[in-house]
Amino acid sequence: MAISDVATFAHLSDSDVEALGREFDEIRRDIEEARGAKDAAYIRRLIYIQRRLMVAGRLTLFASMYPPAWVAGTGMLAIGKILENMEIGHNVMHGQFDWMNDPEIHSGTWEWDTTCPASQWKHSHNFLHHTFTNVVGKDNDVGYGILRVTRDQKWHPANLGQPVYNALLALLFEWGVALHDLDIERIRKREKDPQELKRQLKEIWRKVRKQVGKDYVIFPLLSGPAFATTLTANATANLIRNLWSYMIIFCGHFPDGAEKFTEEELEDETKAEWYLRQLLGSANFEGSRLLHILAGSLGYQIEHHLFPDLPCNRYPEIAERVKALCEKYDLPYTTGPLYRQYGQVFRTIMKLTLPTKADPNEMQPLNESQPLRGAKRPSRDELRAYGGPLPPQAAVA
Amino acid sequence: MPSTTTTPTTPLTTLKERGRALTGTQKLATAALGASAAVVGATALEVKRRLLQGDVSLVPNADLVRSVAARMTTPLLPDDYLHMLNPLWSAREIRGKIVELIPETEDAATLVIKTGWGFATDYQPGQYIGIGVSIDGKWHWRSYSISSEPSEGRRQRSGGTITITVKAMPEGFMSAHLVRGLEPGTIVRLALPQGDFVLPDPPPPKILFWTGGSGITPVMSMLRTMHRRDTIPDVVHIHSAPNRGQAIFRDERLKLAEAHPTLRMVENFDDEDGILEVSRIEEICPDWRERQTWVCGPAPMLDAAEKHWQQAKLAKSLHIERFSAQLSEAAEGGHVTFAVSGKEVDLDGATTLLEAGEAEGIDMPFGCRMGICHSCIVPLKKGLVKDLRNGAEYQQNQSVQTCVTAAAGDCVLEI
C-alpha cells in the first residue's frame, strides 16, 4: 500500500522529522567539506583502469578466432562497459565530481557507452526519478512503464505477459534505457508532443548509430578474419552488461521493504520529508568492495538517494552514519545479500502478473476518479511547483 | 602579472569544438590511433615520430582515418585514450607540462611550460594565457601574461615551450602555489593565448613602456621579440620595482639595453626613489606625447596613467593591461549579466540565479530545484556566486547549480 504521509508511516513527529533532516544535512556538509584529492584520485584511477580494460579487450579480440582470446576479450570488454556505465558514467552524470571543475569528468559533458543519450538520461533519471522517487504515477522508474511491480499499480490483462517482458527487458536492458525518457505511457495516451518525440528519437538514433557502428561494424571489420568472432564477442559483452545492470538496478526499489508513495505525499513535502521518502523507498544490498564498485555503488542505493551528488566512494562511510540514524529514530534500513534482494524482486514481478486479491487489511480501494495506473505526467505548472523537465532547447550541450 | 579575474576558457566547451582545435599534424597523429590498431606492431609513439618527420604515407587520408578513429573510441575522443600514453597528447583540454622552474627573485619564478596538442604558439607578444592547476583535487584557473617570445615563421609544433612569470602575492594562494608548490613534471591545463595588449608588427617607431612589479611580463615578451628580430626602434622603458632584489628580469633587461643603443632603460626603486608618480614621466621622457605607450602594473599606477593620458587627449596612444588583481570579497547580491540572452539584472543575496533568470524570461534549464539533480548547471563566466545551502563560494570558470546559488557580487553567466 502506497504511503501518503511519510511522517505518519514512520511514526515520527514533525519535529523528529525535521531533526532527522538536519542530521542528513550535516552528513552532506561534512562530506562536501572533506572531499578533495582522494576523491579525485579515485575517479581518475577508475577511469584509467576502465580505459585500459577497453583497449586491452579490443586488442585481444583481434585474435578472437582462438577461443581463449574470445573469452578473455569478451570478459574485459564486459567489465569495461559495466564499470563505465555503472560506477563511472552514472555517478559522473549525477554531478558527483562536478566540484573538481574538470570538464573531462563533468555531468555537463559526460557521454556514456550505451545507446541512451546522456541528456535524456539526466532528465528521466537525475530529475524525474531522483526527485519523485517511488511516487506511483510520477516516477516512471516504478515498473518502467511496462511492468507491474507494486500492488498500487492497477492490474491490466496486459500484465499477464510480465514474465516475458521482464526477461526481454533484462536481455535488452540498454535499449529499454535508451527509450525510457520517451515515456511510453504518454505516447500511448497521445499526450506526447510530436515535435518533442521527433527530437528525442533523432537524438537516440544519432547515439545508436555510433554505438552500433563501433561494436557491430567497425571493430569486427578491423578484425579481418576474426570478423564473426569479434561480432559475437561484442554482442556478448553488451549482453553481459545488460543482464548485470538490469539486476542491480531492479534491486534498488523493488525488493520487499522499499515503499511506494502516492501523489498526496508530494503535497507540501519538506526537505526533511523528502529525505525520509528516499530512505523508505530505497533498498541496499550487501557485498564486497569489488561487488559494490561493479554495481556502480548502487548497493548503497539508500545513501545514493539521500545524497545523489556526493562522490560514490564516500557511500560506505555515509552508510555507517545513516544506519546509526535509522537505529536512533527507529527507522527501517532495507538491505540483504544480492541474491535475496533480487529473489524478492523476481517473486514480486511473477506474483503481480496476476490480479491481486482484494485484501481489506492491506489494499485500500483506489480512488477511481483518479486511477493511479497511467496517471498523467505532471503539467508544466505542476512541475514548476517541484521543479520541471529540462526544456528541450536548453538540454546541456 | 598578478593573478586575474578574467579567465579565458569556458569549462563546458563541447567535444566537437575542442576537436577542431587540432592542427594538421596533430590530426595526423591522432589518426595514427586508427592506423596503429590496423598496422600491427606500430605503436602510437612510433607513428607519431614518423609523422613528425613528415612521413604521411602511413595515413593516406588523415581526415578519414581520424573520423574512423573517433568512431572507434565513441563516445570518447581518440584524445581521451592518447593522453594516457602522453599527457600532452590531447586537445580536448589543452595540457602543458612544467619542465623547469626558474627563480627570478625571492618571490617570483618563471615557469617553463611545454605545451601540448591544440596550443598554437603563434601568439602575439603581450598576450596572456589561462593556466589551470589541480589543487586538492580541484582545478583552479588564473591568467598570466606570457613572458617568452612567440615562435615565428611557422606554427610551432607541439613540444614547443612558453614561459610565464609569476610573483607570489601575499594573499594569493594560487600565485604562491605556482611559485613554490609546483614540481617539474607537473601537468597543468592551458587556455589559448588572448588579449589585445600586444605589440603590432612592425612596431611603431617610438615606444614608451612603463611597467611596475610583475607588470614587466607582457613587455618582456615584446622586448624579447624585438630583440630576436634585431629591430628595436626608439624605445624608452621605465620599470618600477620595490628594490634591486625584487626587480624581475633585471640582468636581461640591462644586457638588452647594452646591446641596443636605441633602447633606453630607466629603473625606479621605490625603497630608494619613492613611488614613481606619473608627473615624473615628463622629466624622464620629455617626448612621451609622441610615443605609443604600453603600461602594465598595479591598479593605482594604471589609473594614474589613464587619467594623465586622457588629460593630454592622447588616450589613443595609450595601451593598458588591466587585471583586477584579486577576486573581490564576496558581497550580498550584485549585478548579474546573462551573457547569451543579453539580459542584466540587479539581485539581492537571497534570490537564486535560476529564479532571477526565469523572471527575466530566459529559458533556464532546471530540474529538481533543490540542488540534487544538476540539471540546472550553467557556466559562470565571471564573478562569484554563493551556495545558499552552505555558503560555499564558486568562482568564475566553473559550472554552477543555479537553483541553489545567488550572486555574491557582480557576475556573468553564460546563458
Side-chain angles (χ1 to χ4, degrees), chain B residues 67-112:
Chain B
S67 92
V68 170
R71 293 270 171 189
M72 289 162 67
T73 56
T74 187
L76 298 170
L77 292 174
D79 304 36
D80 292 318
Y81 288 95
L82 288 170
H83 79 70
M84 290 164 56
L85 295 173
N86 179 335
L88 299 183
W89 291 358
S90 172
R92 187 175 162 184
E93 279 290 294
I94 301 168
R95 289 155 161 86
K97 184 177 176 179
I98 306 289
V99 288
E100 200 183 348
L101 283 150
I102 305 165
E104 296 288 351
T105 66
E106 59 189 40
D107 57 359
T110 291
L111 281 63
V112 184

Side-chain angles (χ1 to χ4, degrees), chain A residues 28-29 32 35-37 40 44 48 51-52 54-55 62 94-95 98-104 106-109 111-113 122 126-127 130-131 207 209-211 214 218-219 222 271 274 308-309 380 384 386-391 393-394 396-397, chain B residues 10-15 18 34 37-38 68 71-76 80-81 83-84 90 92-93 95 134 136-141 189 358 363-377 387 389-390 394 396-399 401 415:
Chain A
R28 167 178 281 275
R29 267 196 308 275
E32 280 176 343
R35 69 191 169 190
R44 287 230 167 77
Y48 268 59
R51 289 183 187 166
R52 288 199 181 102
M54 291 305 272
V55 172
F62 283 113
H94 261 297
D98 284 7
W99 58 272
M100 286 161 54
N101 197 24
D102 185 344
E104 290 180 357
H106 196 284
S107 67
T109 52
E111 189 56 79
W112 57 345
D113 188 8
K122 283 183 284 187
N126 289 17
F127 168 41
H130 273 272
T131 310
K207 183 85 194 280
R209 227 174 35 194
K210 283 188 195 161
Q211 290 292 122
K214 166 179 73 166
I218 292 176
F219 278 106
L222 282 173
K271 179 76 191 283
W274 179 86
D309 59 344
R380 198 168 167 92
R384 285 269 175 200
Y386 295 101
L390 203 59
Q393 62 274 41
V396 183
Chain B
T10 310
L12 298 181
T13 318
T14 62
L15 303 188
R18 283 291 189 195
V68 170
R71 293 270 171 189
M72 289 162 67
T73 56
T74 187
L76 298 170
D80 292 318
Y81 288 95
H83 79 70
M84 290 164 56
S90 172
R92 187 175 162 184
E93 279 290 294
R95 289 155 161 86
S134 178
D136 196 20
K138 182 176 173 181
W139 290 95
H140 296 262
W141 285 83
R189 300 265 173 99
E358 286 174 338
D363 209 347
M364 303 285 288
F366 67 96
C368 68
R369 302 178 90 88
M370 58 193 289
I372 58 134
C373 83
H374 290 242
S375 296
C376 63
I377 52 171
D387 191 323
R389 297 171 296 178
N390 53 19
Y394 296 93
Q396 73 239 355
N397 209 17
Q398 301 191 29
S399 288
Q401 293 173 272
I415 183 159

Side-chain angles (χ1 to χ4, degrees), chain A residues 32 38 83 202 215 354:
Chain A
E32 280 176 343
K38 196 180 97 180
L83 282 177
K202 259 190 179 163
D215 281 340
L354 297 173

Side-chain angles (χ1 to χ4, degrees), chain A residues 90-263:
Chain A
H90 168 251
N91 289 321
V92 168
M93 286 191 296
H94 261 297
Q96 293 182 1
F97 299 93
D98 284 7
W99 58 272
M100 286 161 54
N101 197 24
D102 185 344
E104 290 180 357
I105 309 176
H106 196 284
S107 67
T109 52
W110 194 270
E111 189 56 79
W112 57 345
D113 188 8
T114 88
T115 47
C116 173
S119 60
Q120 294 190 21
W121 170 258
K122 283 183 284 187
H123 175 250
S124 67
H125 180 81
N126 289 17
F127 168 41
L128 291 179
H129 170 58
H130 273 272
T131 310
F132 305 120
T133 312
N134 287 21
V135 175
V136 181
K138 281 224 169 195
D139 176 4
N140 289 327
D141 282 26
V142 180
Y144 301 99
I146 54 167
L147 291 176
R148 183 168 176 252
V149 293
T150 162
R151 291 164 185 224
D152 302 303
Q153 294 168 299
K154 213 172 138 191
W155 185 83
H156 184 279
N159 292 129
L160 287 170
Q162 282 215 148
V164 180
Y165 312 154
N166 182 52
L168 284 175
L169 186 57
L171 293 169
L172 302 170
F173 194 64
E174 166 183 32
W175 300 91
V177 172
L179 301 176
H180 185 44
D181 197 39
L182 296 177
D183 199 343
I184 310 294
E185 196 66 45
R186 264 172 82 215
I187 297 174
R188 200 155 52 206
K189 303 183 111 189
R190 298 174 188 223
E191 284 166 7
K192 182 103 185 174
D193 174 12
Q195 287 300 317
E196 170 65 3
L197 180 64
K198 212 172 137 189
R199 187 197 66 78
Q200 282 186 311
L201 282 171
K202 259 190 179 163
E203 195 181 28
I204 295 170
W205 171 240
R206 277 197 301 272
K207 183 85 194 280
V208 165
R209 227 174 35 194
K210 283 188 195 161
Q211 290 292 122
V212 169
K214 166 179 73 166
D215 281 340
Y216 302 123
V217 181
I218 292 176
F219 278 106
L221 280 178
L222 282 173
S223 307
F227 177 89
T229 46
T230 301
L231 187 80
T232 56
N234 292 353
T236 308
N238 277 325
L239 180 70
I240 294 171
R241 184 270 322 271
N242 284 353
L243 292 171
W244 177 253
S245 44
Y246 153 84
M247 182 177 69
I248 297 301
I249 285 160
F250 268 51
C251 286
H253 302 286
F254 306 151
D256 300 355
E259 303 295 340
K260 311 298 176 291
F261 307 89
T262 67
E263 293 189 41

Side-chain angles (χ1 to χ4, degrees), chain A residues 50 80-86 88-90 110-113:
Chain A
Q50 186 269 335
K81 279 176 180 267
I82 285 171
L83 282 177
E84 201 281 340
N85 291 178
M86 308 288 282
I88 302 170
H90 168 251
W110 194 270
E111 189 56 79
W112 57 345
D113 188 8

